Amino acid sequence: MKSSSYRGFYKLPLEERLRIISEFAELSDEESNILRNPDALPEEIADHMVENVIGRFTLPMGVGINFKINGKEYMIPMVTEEPSVIAAASNAAKMARDGGGFHASYTGSIMISQIQITDLTNPNYAAITIQEHKEEIIQMCNDKDPVLVKYGGGVVDVETRVLDTAVGKMLIVHLKVNTLDAMGANAVNTMAESVAPYLEEITGGRVYLRILSNLAVHRLARARVQVQKETLGEGVVDAILRAYAFAEVDPFRAATHNKGIMNGVVPVVLATGNDTRAIESGAHAYASITGTYKPLTVWEKDHDGNLVGTIELPMAVGLVGGATKIHPQAQVAVKMLGVKTSSELAMIIASVGLAQNLAALKVLATEGVQRGHMSLHARNLATTVGAKDDLLEQIVSIMIKEKNVRLEYAEELFNKLSTK
Ligand code: NAD
């Protein structure tokens, strides 16, 4: 059976890593070439994706290895500019394997589209009127997206809320839409716009905003993990629990705790062509849903003293629509994961977020982040000054040994050693 667990993957040359991934994910030669090709996104396509295009911007794509999620092996494409992230995720995934890997679930792909109705003297009365016409509203919305309905999606419910605001009371209608394998923003926005005149007609109010909410509380991805105390080492479970306890009560720490989670989440969202801002805003809004900003993960100790952790966050990602269907590398990234549904993708992303948090907490609670960061930083600096191969290794090791990791010193060493 194929496994995502690999020793020394990082030491292999790029071609060999790509060969392993291609074999693992059964990529064709054409697909593996797309992954490697910095011009994989053609200029003509880029020109149609956004406005005022002047070029294309590439970032490294790495692979998170060792992941076992719901019993299945995954090699995970991650696009990021930040060093250490992919290594840390892979490391945490390895630690998780002894406890059976990650177990993930998903609440379903229900998105909320909001419609703001103002100029009402009787918003509560209007809310009940809307509830009475629920079936017609659902029908009107569903008529706008027969494809979604054909696959089993569409509006599942209509909710109303009366808000007391600085400009008076307003009635907010929530269309709850099952968007299946689409992220759904365009789908639900179109529905909200189409039904707005009818809502004005039956309430006598005036509709302004018609847009989805990124606080996707009905589209939550969850994951859990158990890490054996022996795997972590003496005292590390308690050290991690101390670090978590700090984040639990302090928003200053929780912000960075959650940033660490997003270090894992965003690279997979980006690699698969999904909307990183939608996921970021959803995650942070969800972290504050109790009124206080909280960590998105929870860490505890089980009966046997092992570390157990969970994550829960909105995960509105899709496989159809958006950049996923346009960007050639995003399509290969999806193939690499072997996912057929947005729910599987969401569960993978939540698991990577949990892994990333585990890795960060372990390092922070024990040796501190700077040691690992410094060696990668030294490598970046040596590359920046133009060092390659043996010379690069030599410069990196001198800077680390002397604890002097600065650009000027890398330059000085490069000039000194390359002229020898
Ligand atoms: P889309 O409209 O391109 O594709 C969705 C459509 O695909 C559905 O409406 C359906 O008709 C069809 N479809 C075919 N097969 C399907 C299946 N199996 N499951 C579901 N639908 C299927 O894309 P979208 O997902 O509605 O919108 C995503 C885009 O909207 C992203 O690019 C996002 O960046 C952008 N966006 C985001 C926001 C926000 O987050 N606030 C706002 C506006 C736009």
Side-chain angles (χ1 to χ4, degrees):
M1 208 185 85
K2 67 182 180 183
S3 169
S4 65
S5 169
Y6 232 97
R7 265 175 194 280
F9 190 78
Y10 69 101
K11 289 189 199 146
L12 300 172
L14 189 150
E15 293 81 34
E16 185 55 12
R17 290 189 213 124
L18 186 57
R19 192 195 61 71
I20 291 166
I21 294 302
S22 301
E23 202 176 293
F24 178 90
E26 296 171 20
L27 302 182
S28 65
D29 288 350
E30 192 193 341
E31 286 165 334
S32 63
N33 286 337
I34 286 174
L35 282 185
R36 206 180 164 175
N37 180 5
D39 288 324
L41 177 67
E43 208 163 77
E44 311 80 76
I45 297 185
D47 201 16
H48 287 113
M49 282 175 81
V50 298
E51 308 73 40
N52 300 349
V53 169
I54 52 162
R56 288 153 296 158
F57 184 100
T58 51
L59 281 173
M61 178 191 277
V63 191
I65 63 167
N66 303 325
F67 277 88
K68 190 175 191 178
I69 304 167
N70 292 341
K72 189 171 161 187
E73 301 283 341
Y74 292 97
M75 294 274 205
I76 301 180
M78 298 176 77
V79 172
T80 181
E81 88 300 343
E82 186 169 345
S84 301
V85 164
I86 298 169
S90 304
N91 212 348
K94 190 172 174 188
M95 289 190 263
R97 287 182 86 86
D98 295 339
F102 298 87
H103 300 273
S105 55
Y106 194 50
T107 58
S109 313
I110 308 288
M111 292 300 279
I112 298 168
S113 190
Q114 296 193 293
I115 302 166
Q116 177 198 32
I117 311 178
T118 63
D119 299 357
L120 289 168
T121 50
N122 53 352
N124 295 291
Y125 187 85
I128 297 296
T129 311
I130 284 179
Q131 290 300 342
E132 263 173 42
H133 292 82
K134 196 188 252 182
E135 291 314 315
E136 294 94 302
I137 293 168
I138 292 178
Q139 191 60 50
M140 270 181 203
C141 293
N142 284 348
D143 285 347
K144 277 277 149 194
D145 202 334
V147 176
L148 188 63
V149 174
K150 185 179 91 185
Y151 289 121
V155 179
V156 294
D157 201 4
V158 179
E159 287 174 352
T160 46
R161 298 159 65 218
V162 176
L163 299 184
D164 205 356
T165 78
V167 293
K169 288 198 174 169
M170 53 182 75
L171 174 60
I172 308 301
V173 178
H174 282 192
L175 303 173
K176 288 168 74 178
V177 189
N178 186 352
T179 63
L180 303 176
D181 290 322
M183 181 268 183
N186 290 326
V188 305
N189 293 346
T190 308
M191 289 178 175
E193 289 189 6
S194 71
V195 81
Y198 180 64
L199 298 182
E200 285 183 338
E201 188 190 313
I202 60 174
T203 61
R206 176 94 199 263
V207 169
Y208 284 94
L209 271 60
R210 296 145 299 168
I211 182 93
L212 95 159
S213 169
N214 289 111
L215 181 51
V217 291
H218 307 297
R219 201 170 186 175
L220 301 175
R222 300 180 174 125
R224 63 183 167 89
V225 70
Q226 183 211 52
V227 194
Q228 308 284 297
K229 56 181 187 289
E230 296 79 15
T231 309
L232 287 166
E234 183 73 29
V236 178
V237 174
D238 289 329
I240 289 178
L241 293 181
R242 265 196 306 274
Y244 167 66
F246 177 16
E248 234 278 309
V249 298
D250 182 18
F252 288 91
R253 172 61 208 141
T256 320
H257 179 104
N258 288 343
K259 191 274 179 184
I261 293 170
M262 301 318 277
N263 274 346
V265 166
V266 170
V268 192
V269 173
L270 189 56
T272 54
N274 276 288
D275 184 335
T276 55
R277 290 83 53 214
I279 299 304
E280 290 270 8
S281 63
H284 295 295
Y286 195 65
S288 336
I289 204 154
T290 57
T292 312
Y293 188 85
K294 290 283 183 188
L296 290 160
T297 52
V298 176
W299 293 97
E300 297 162 315
K301 205 194 266 196
D302 72 9
H303 275 303
D304 302 320
N306 301 312
L307 182 73
V308 288
T310 57
I311 187 168
E312 181 180 277
L313 74 173
M315 195 50 69
V317 287
L319 293 177
V320 299
T324 309
K325 270 286 172 261
I326 300 172
H327 198 301
Q329 288 176 314
Q331 287 168 31
V332 182
V334 168
K335 169 118 191 247
M336 233 175 104
L337 287 169
V339 292
K340 295 279 180 281
T341 60
S342 65
S343 69
E344 190 179 354
L345 178 59
M347 291 190 283
I348 292 171
I349 298 173
S351 302
V352 178
L354 185 59
Q356 206 74 51
N357 188 226
L358 168 63
L361 289 181
K362 178 168 183 279
V363 172
L364 282 169
T366 53
E367 66 188 48
V369 286
Q370 276 320 81
R371 203 180 74 165
H373 266 297
M374 274 305 131
S375 92
L376 282 155
H377 185 46
R379 198 161 280 278
N380 279 346
L381 294 181
T383 311
T384 308
V385 299
K388 285 196 179 104
D389 307 325
D390 287 351
L391 181 58
L392 184 140
E393 298 303 332
Q394 213 181 342
I395 293 175
V396 169
S397 90
I398 296 172
M399 286 198 289
I400 298 290
K401 198 164 146 221
E402 296 182 5
K403 294 199 169 77
N404 188 358
V405 185
R406 291 178 306 114
L407 184 64
E408 308 80 71
Y409 192 44
E411 223 157 16
E412 187 186 319
L413 289 171
F414 179 72
N415 292 334
K416 195 163 105 191
L417 298 170
S418 57
T419 50
K420 264 189 183 171

Short mmCIF file of all heavy atoms in Angstrom, two decimals, residues 145 147-148 151 179-187 189 212 214 275 278 320-322, ligand 1:
data_model
loop_
_atom_site.label_atom_id
_atom_site.label_comp_id
_atom_site.label_asym_id
_atom_site.label_seq_id
_atom_site.Cartn_x
_atom_site.Cartn_y
_atom_site.Cartn_z
N ASP A 145 -29.98 28.60 -10.40
CA ASP A 145 -28.81 27.73 -10.52
C ASP A 145 -29.23 26.26 -10.72
O ASP A 145 -29.04 25.42 -9.85
CB ASP A 145 -27.91 27.87 -9.28
CG ASP A 145 -26.47 27.44 -9.56
OD1 ASP A 145 -26.27 26.61 -10.46
OD2 ASP A 145 -25.56 27.92 -8.86
N VAL A 147 -27.94 23.97 -12.40
CA VAL A 147 -26.84 23.00 -12.35
C VAL A 147 -26.60 22.55 -10.92
O VAL A 147 -26.51 21.36 -10.62
CB VAL A 147 -25.54 23.61 -12.95
CG1 VAL A 147 -24.37 22.64 -12.82
CG2 VAL A 147 -25.75 24.02 -14.40
N LEU A 148 -26.55 23.53 -10.02
CA LEU A 148 -26.34 23.22 -8.59
C LEU A 148 -27.47 22.32 -8.08
O LEU A 148 -27.23 21.35 -7.37
CB LEU A 148 -26.28 24.54 -7.80
CG LEU A 148 -25.89 24.44 -6.34
CD1 LEU A 148 -24.48 23.91 -6.18
CD2 LEU A 148 -25.99 25.82 -5.66
N TYR A 151 -27.31 18.67 -9.14
CA TYR A 151 -26.38 17.83 -8.38
C TYR A 151 -26.81 17.62 -6.93
O TYR A 151 -26.09 17.00 -6.14
CB TYR A 151 -24.97 18.43 -8.42
CG TYR A 151 -24.31 18.31 -9.78
CD1 TYR A 151 -23.89 19.43 -10.47
CD2 TYR A 151 -24.11 17.06 -10.37
CE1 TYR A 151 -23.29 19.33 -11.73
CE2 TYR A 151 -23.51 16.94 -11.62
CZ TYR A 151 -23.11 18.07 -12.30
OH TYR A 151 -22.53 17.96 -13.52
N THR A 179 -23.84 24.51 -1.38
CA THR A 179 -23.11 24.79 -2.62
C THR A 179 -22.24 23.61 -3.06
O THR A 179 -21.39 23.76 -3.94
CB THR A 179 -22.24 26.06 -2.47
OG1 THR A 179 -21.26 25.82 -1.46
CG2 THR A 179 -23.06 27.28 -2.10
N LEU A 180 -22.41 22.47 -2.41
CA LEU A 180 -21.73 21.23 -2.79
C LEU A 180 -20.23 21.43 -2.98
O LEU A 180 -19.55 21.82 -2.06
CB LEU A 180 -22.37 20.65 -4.05
CG LEU A 180 -23.88 20.36 -3.98
CD1 LEU A 180 -24.38 19.90 -5.34
CD2 LEU A 180 -24.22 19.35 -2.91
N ASP A 181 -19.76 21.18 -4.20
CA ASP A 181 -18.31 21.25 -4.43
C ASP A 181 -17.83 22.62 -4.90
O ASP A 181 -16.68 22.75 -5.34
CB ASP A 181 -17.89 20.17 -5.44
CG ASP A 181 -18.00 18.80 -4.81
OD1 ASP A 181 -17.67 18.67 -3.61
OD2 ASP A 181 -18.45 17.87 -5.49
N ALA A 182 -18.72 23.63 -4.83
CA ALA A 182 -18.28 24.99 -5.16
C ALA A 182 -18.02 25.74 -3.86
O ALA A 182 -18.68 25.48 -2.85
CB ALA A 182 -19.36 25.71 -5.96
N MET A 183 -17.05 26.67 -3.90
CA MET A 183 -16.89 27.57 -2.74
C MET A 183 -18.21 28.32 -2.57
O MET A 183 -18.67 28.54 -1.46
CB MET A 183 -15.72 28.53 -3.02
CG MET A 183 -15.42 29.49 -1.90
SD MET A 183 -16.33 31.03 -2.15
CE MET A 183 -15.76 31.99 -0.78
N GLY A 184 -18.77 28.75 -3.70
CA GLY A 184 -20.16 29.19 -3.68
C GLY A 184 -20.43 30.67 -3.67
O GLY A 184 -21.59 31.07 -3.72
N ALA A 185 -19.39 31.50 -3.60
CA ALA A 185 -19.63 32.95 -3.49
C ALA A 185 -20.46 33.46 -4.66
O ALA A 185 -21.48 34.14 -4.46
CB ALA A 185 -18.31 33.70 -3.41
N ASN A 186 -20.04 33.14 -5.86
CA ASN A 186 -20.79 33.63 -7.03
C ASN A 186 -22.19 33.05 -7.05
O ASN A 186 -23.16 33.75 -7.34
CB ASN A 186 -20.07 33.25 -8.33
CG ASN A 186 -18.78 34.04 -8.49
OD1 ASN A 186 -18.72 35.19 -8.08
ND2 ASN A 186 -17.77 33.42 -9.06
N ALA A 187 -22.27 31.77 -6.73
CA ALA A 187 -23.56 31.09 -6.76
C ALA A 187 -24.56 31.76 -5.80
O ALA A 187 -25.68 32.09 -6.20
CB ALA A 187 -23.36 29.62 -6.39
N ASN A 189 -24.34 34.74 -4.28
CA ASN A 189 -24.56 36.17 -4.55
C ASN A 189 -25.60 36.35 -5.65
O ASN A 189 -26.46 37.23 -5.59
CB ASN A 189 -23.25 36.85 -4.96
CG ASN A 189 -22.25 36.90 -3.81
OD1 ASN A 189 -22.61 36.68 -2.66
ND2 ASN A 189 -20.99 37.20 -4.12
N LEU A 212 -22.58 37.09 0.20
CA LEU A 212 -22.37 35.97 1.13
C LEU A 212 -21.68 36.44 2.41
O LEU A 212 -21.04 37.49 2.43
CB LEU A 212 -21.54 34.87 0.47
CG LEU A 212 -20.02 34.84 0.69
CD1 LEU A 212 -19.48 33.49 0.42
CD2 LEU A 212 -19.33 35.88 -0.16
N ASN A 214 -18.65 35.40 4.95
CA ASN A 214 -17.49 34.50 5.06
C ASN A 214 -17.43 33.79 6.41
O ASN A 214 -16.62 32.89 6.60
CB ASN A 214 -16.19 35.28 4.80
CG ASN A 214 -16.05 35.66 3.34
OD1 ASN A 214 -16.13 36.82 2.98
ND2 ASN A 214 -15.87 34.67 2.49
N ASP A 275 -9.77 30.61 -2.37
CA ASP A 275 -9.71 32.01 -1.96
C ASP A 275 -9.15 32.10 -0.53
O ASP A 275 -9.85 31.77 0.44
CB ASP A 275 -11.14 32.57 -2.04
CG ASP A 275 -11.23 34.05 -1.73
OD1 ASP A 275 -10.36 34.56 -1.02
OD2 ASP A 275 -12.19 34.68 -2.20
N ALA A 278 -10.99 34.55 1.92
CA ALA A 278 -12.27 34.02 2.42
C ALA A 278 -12.01 33.11 3.63
O ALA A 278 -12.73 33.16 4.63
CB ALA A 278 -12.98 33.25 1.31
N VAL A 320 -14.87 23.22 -7.94
CA VAL A 320 -15.35 23.74 -9.23
C VAL A 320 -15.39 25.26 -9.09
O VAL A 320 -15.56 25.78 -8.01
CB VAL A 320 -16.77 23.22 -9.58
CG1 VAL A 320 -16.78 21.72 -9.70
CG2 VAL A 320 -17.79 23.68 -8.57
N GLY A 321 -15.22 25.97 -10.18
CA GLY A 321 -15.29 27.42 -10.12
C GLY A 321 -14.02 28.04 -9.59
O GLY A 321 -13.06 27.34 -9.25
N GLY A 322 -14.01 29.37 -9.53
CA GLY A 322 -12.85 30.11 -9.04
C GLY A 322 -11.59 29.78 -9.83
O GLY A 322 -11.65 29.30 -10.96
P1 NAD B 1 -18.51 29.57 -9.79
O1 NAD B 1 -19.73 30.44 -9.89
O2 NAD B 1 -17.46 29.77 -10.80
O3 NAD B 1 -18.94 28.03 -9.81
C1 NAD B 1 -20.02 27.54 -9.08
C2 NAD B 1 -21.05 26.97 -10.00
O4 NAD B 1 -20.58 25.77 -10.59
C3 NAD B 1 -22.32 26.56 -9.27
O5 NAD B 1 -23.15 27.68 -9.12
C4 NAD B 1 -22.89 25.48 -10.18
O6 NAD B 1 -23.77 26.06 -11.12
C5 NAD B 1 -21.69 24.93 -10.92
N1 NAD B 1 -21.33 23.53 -10.55
C6 NAD B 1 -21.00 22.54 -11.40
N2 NAD B 1 -20.71 21.39 -10.75
C7 NAD B 1 -20.87 21.65 -9.45
C8 NAD B 1 -20.72 20.86 -8.26
N3 NAD B 1 -20.34 19.58 -8.27
N4 NAD B 1 -20.92 21.45 -7.07
C9 NAD B 1 -21.29 22.75 -6.99
N5 NAD B 1 -21.47 23.54 -8.08
C10 NAD B 1 -21.27 22.99 -9.31
O7 NAD B 1 -17.79 29.70 -8.38
P2 NAD B 1 -18.30 29.93 -6.90
O8 NAD B 1 -17.78 28.79 -6.11
O9 NAD B 1 -19.74 30.24 -6.80
O10 NAD B 1 -17.49 31.27 -6.49
C11 NAD B 1 -16.15 31.19 -6.09
C12 NAD B 1 -15.41 32.47 -6.44
O11 NAD B 1 -16.08 33.60 -5.90
C13 NAD B 1 -14.03 32.47 -5.87
O12 NAD B 1 -13.13 32.78 -6.90
C14 NAD B 1 -14.07 33.63 -4.86
O13 NAD B 1 -12.79 34.24 -4.77
C15 NAD B 1 -15.10 34.53 -5.41
N6 NAD B 1 -15.78 35.50 -4.51
C16 NAD B 1 -15.61 35.49 -3.15
C17 NAD B 1 -16.30 36.40 -2.35
C18 NAD B 1 -16.14 36.33 -0.85
O14 NAD B 1 -15.53 35.40 -0.34
N7 NAD B 1 -16.66 37.28 -0.07
C19 NAD B 1 -17.17 37.31 -2.94
C20 NAD B 1 -17.34 37.29 -4.32
C21 NAD B 1 -16.64 36.37 -5.11
#
